[in-house]
Amino acid sequence: MISKVVEKMLGSRKNSYLIPADMVANVSESNHLNHALLVLTKVKYAKIPVLDKKQHIKGLLSLSMITDTMLGLNGIDPSHLTRLTVADVMDTEVPTIHQPYDIEEILHLLVNQPFLVVVDDDSLFKGIITRREVMKEVNYLAHELEKEYEVKPNPGYVKI
Amino acid sequence: MISKVVEKMLGSRKNSYLIPADMVANVSESNHLNHALLVLTKVKYAKIPVLDKKQHIKGLLSLSMITDTMLGLNGIDPSHLTRLTVADVMDTEVPTIHQPYDIEEILHLLVNQPFLVVVDDDSLFKGIITRREVMKEVNYLAHELEKEYEVKPNPGYVKI
């Protein structure tokens, strides 16, 4: 359990965490890698969601998953890019959370993931929650905590 | 100014934020892009520091800066990779902080940067501070705040 005050302050604008699906660049699992390389090069995000035709989340794709197919014994070889598809190289382990999500879960998962994929009950892609959005709320908490609350050392607290 | 309590709790293990230079993959500004592509593909970090021969920080390099040189009118063309160097494509705007750094500055800069480069007074590269490390401390604060402190609404607080 996390502190109720922290939960309240970080969660007060909770919906603002979500970057909605239509604002997030994505690729289709059936796209060839030359197309995906173009998309990832241009959007500049390190990793983007992979969707099927019905907007279900299927995986995550980064540039390194694509460039890894180009490392040959005789240097950089792009010849596989027109043959392989996103499905061939994507990471299918996707850190997902469901709405309504809770702050404790978000904080915990974002230690090891730069962003979380939000899905509905039918696994449809709803958007992402990024460390960036949470960092904005942490700044808010850092500035406002001792304005909104009186904070005093707990006399009964024993540091373990 | 941020809350003294937040500063204390997030800063209590402040040195643990720094990932020291010898643990951070880097490339040299004189490396050719085919070498840099290999490094970035294998380390899987989205962006890594670029150093000169004396360990001064010169820029940041991501895979998309390299793959951008491969986008030709006739498809993906890696022929420039053996001719161009890291210095030709790197981003020279590096978000740096100096030791001793303060928590407020780190929290603020990490909204827009996934990591910060730490340098000493001679611009020598000392390491990086990542959102991941700060997220660990935010989790600590979220769990411990109301154990270590008594937190009560401030009766004089007026929300603007």
Side-chain angles (χ1 to χ4, degrees):
Chain A
M1 285 288 286
I2 64 169
S3 151
K4 290 290 171 201
V5 167
V6 171
E7 190 171 3
K8 190 169 170 219
M9 291 196 79
L10 290 185
S12 60
R13 299 182 289 177
K14 193 159 66 175
N15 283 329
S16 76
Y17 282 157
L18 185 74
I19 300 175
D22 57 6
M23 300 287 286
V24 181
N26 66 73
V27 284
S28 160
E29 57 180 345
S30 59
N31 286 151
H32 282 98
L33 292 189
N34 55 344
H35 173 74
L37 184 130
L38 179 69
V39 173
L40 273 161
T41 299
K42 289 305 179 189
V43 299
K44 297 183 198 302
Y45 294 117
K47 210 176 258 193
I48 59 176
V50 180
L51 306 178
D52 67 10
K53 288 192 170 65
K54 292 180 175 168
Q55 297 290 107
H56 296 105
I57 183 82
K58 303 301 281 186
L60 295 173
L61 183 74
S62 67
L63 267 176
S64 64
M65 295 172 199
I66 301 175
T67 54
D68 200 45
T69 70
M70 299 164 53
L71 304 180
L73 288 173
N74 300 311
I76 309 297
D77 173 11
S79 63
H80 301 303
L81 299 181
T82 49
R83 185 177 55 80
L84 294 171
T85 66
V86 170
D88 292 325
V89 301
M90 68 184 181
D91 185 356
T92 55
E93 294 217 357
V94 185
T96 52
I97 55 173
H98 292 256
Q99 287 171 307
Y101 34 76
D102 71 71
I103 297 294
E104 181 170 2
E105 187 183 10
I106 292 173
L107 291 182
H108 176 66
L109 292 172
L110 283 179
V111 170
N112 285 323
Q113 304 293 340
F115 67 90
L116 307 174
V117 168
V118 180
V119 294
D120 69 11
D121 289 342
D122 298 319
S123 289
L124 287 176
F125 176 58
K126 304 304 285 179
I128 60 173
I129 291 177
T130 64
R131 281 182 184 147
R132 178 173 191 272
E133 299 306 309
V134 173
M135 284 304 303
K136 287 183 194 169
E137 301 306 302
V138 170
N139 273 275
Y140 169 76
L141 178 139
H143 282 94
E144 298 300 315
L145 177 69
E146 287 185 78
K147 295 176 189 163
E148 290 192 30
Y149 295 91
E150 288 178 348
V151 184
K152 293 177 182 154
N154 177 358
Y157 175 73
V158 181
K159 195 163 181 112
I160 307 164
Chain B
M1 287 286 287
I2 64 170
S3 151
K4 290 291 171 200
V5 167
V6 171
E7 190 171 3
K8 190 169 170 216
M9 290 196 79
L10 290 185
S12 59
R13 300 182 289 176
K14 193 159 65 175
N15 283 328
S16 76
Y17 283 156
L18 185 73
I19 300 176
D22 58 4
M23 299 288 286
V24 181
N26 66 72
V27 285
S28 160
E29 56 180 347
S30 60
N31 286 150
H32 283 97
L33 292 189
N34 55 343
H35 173 75
L37 184 130
L38 179 70
V39 173
L40 273 161
T41 299
K42 289 305 180 190
V43 299
K44 297 182 198 303
Y45 293 117
K47 210 176 259 194
I48 59 176
V50 179
L51 306 179
D52 68 9
K53 289 193 170 64
K54 291 179 175 168
Q55 298 290 107
H56 296 106
I57 183 81
K58 304 301 280 187
L60 295 174
L61 183 74
S62 67
L63 267 176
S64 65
M65 295 171 199
I66 301 175
T67 54
D68 200 44
T69 71
M70 298 165 53
L71 304 179
L73 289 173
N74 300 310
I76 308 298
D77 173 11
S79 64
H80 302 303
L81 299 181
T82 49
R83 184 177 55 80
L84 295 170
T85 67
V86 170
D88 293 325
V89 301
M90 68 185 182
D91 185 356
T92 55
E93 293 217 359
V94 185
T96 52
I97 55 174
H98 291 256
Q99 288 171 307
Y101 33 77
D102 71 70
I103 297 294
E104 182 170 3
E105 188 183 10
I106 292 174
L107 291 183
H108 177 67
L109 291 173
L110 283 179
V111 170
N112 285 323
Q113 304 293 341
F115 67 89
L116 306 174
V117 168
V118 180
V119 294
D120 68 11
D121 290 340
D122 299 319
S123 289
L124 287 176
F125 176 59
K126 303 305 285 181
I128 60 173
I129 291 178
T130 65
R131 283 183 184 147
R132 178 174 191 272
E133 299 307 308
V134 173
M135 284 303 303
K136 287 183 194 171
E137 301 306 301
V138 170
N139 273 276
Y140 169 77
L141 177 139
H143 282 93
E144 298 300 315
L145 176 69
E146 287 186 77
K147 294 176 189 164
E148 291 192 30
Y149 295 91
E150 289 178 347
V151 185
K152 292 175 183 157
N154 178 359
Y157 176 72
V158 181
K159 196 164 181 107
I160 307 164

